[in-house]
Every structure is written in structure tokens, then in C-alpha cells.
Amino acid sequence: MALRARSVFLFGFEITKLNSSLDFRSVNAGPIKMATLRVGFYSLTGLMAEIKRAMEAADPLNQYTITADRTINSGLENRVRIATSGAYLDLLFLTGPRVSSSIAPLIGFAA
């Protein structure tokens, strides 16, 4: 029996010291929050939970929702989306103080 579609169960996302940073602002022109992910191997679902944990640890005043586009033909497959319960969110992939260790490429964004 042959498979007709690619699997949407993803694993093997590795967080190291070189890609464990997610710098962001939760207030326009406010202080930079620095979320740090724990080093380890993750499934996509586990990685999303770890991003949520790290962001909420860095910013306990807001809640974060992390989802992934699992549609195979969208051109954005497996790109992670980050939303907040707050009114503002600025992901500092290019300008954060820890840009050299950003998680951006791992979750589908150009760093």
C-alpha cells in the first residue's frame, strides 16, 4: 500500500544554544522581552508548546497562542504563527539583541 500524501506529523526540531532565542516586544516601543527555549529535540507540537512556555515566562501579563499551518499545498506548510492576548506584538527576528541565536529560521521565518 502506497502513501498518497505526506505526513503532517513532524518531529526532529532541535533547539540548541545557537537557535534558542525569541526576542519580542509586547508594548509599542516598550522594553524588549527575551524568551529562551529549552535545549532539546521537539516534535512540531512540542516546539509550539515550548515557544508558548518561554514567551509567557518572559511576559507573564499576556497569553500567547502558537499554531502551525499544516496545509500541504499552501506554500506556508509548517510555518509557525504566534498571536497574543495583548494589543501589540513585535517579533524582533532581525533587530533583537540575540539575533545571532534566533529561532526564526527553524519556525519558517527569514532571520
Side-chain angles (χ1 to χ4, degrees):
M1 181 166 150
L3 294 175
R4 294 178 188 227
R6 297 186 310 191
S7 172
V8 292
F9 176 76
L10 297 169
F11 58 93
F13 292 95
E14 183 179 11
I15 299 295
T16 68
K17 291 180 185 178
L18 301 176
N19 66 352
S20 62
S21 302
L22 178 52
D23 300 332
F24 64 100
R25 283 194 172 101
S26 59
V27 176
N28 189 15
I32 294 174
K33 310 281 184 173
M34 292 190 254
T36 303
L37 283 74
R38 295 178 185 139
V39 171
F41 287 93
Y42 296 89
S43 66
L44 181 57
T45 302
L47 180 60
M48 291 186 301
E50 178 60 12
I51 293 169
K52 177 180 177 62
R53 182 212 57 82
M55 291 184 78
E56 290 179 353
D59 181 21
L61 297 179
N62 290 303
Q63 292 183 335
Y64 293 89
T65 303
I66 317 300
T67 59
D69 183 348
R70 292 180 182 249
T71 306
I72 300 291
N73 297 321
S74 71
L76 301 174
E77 60 256 16
N78 307 318
R79 181 173 290 175
V80 171
R81 295 179 183 177
I82 302 173
T84 180
S85 63
Y88 184 84
L89 178 61
D90 186 10
L91 301 172
L92 306 175
F93 291 145
L94 292 173
T95 59
R98 302 178 303 164
V99 68
S100 64
S101 63
S102 175
I103 191 174
L106 186 66
I107 60 174
F109 294 91

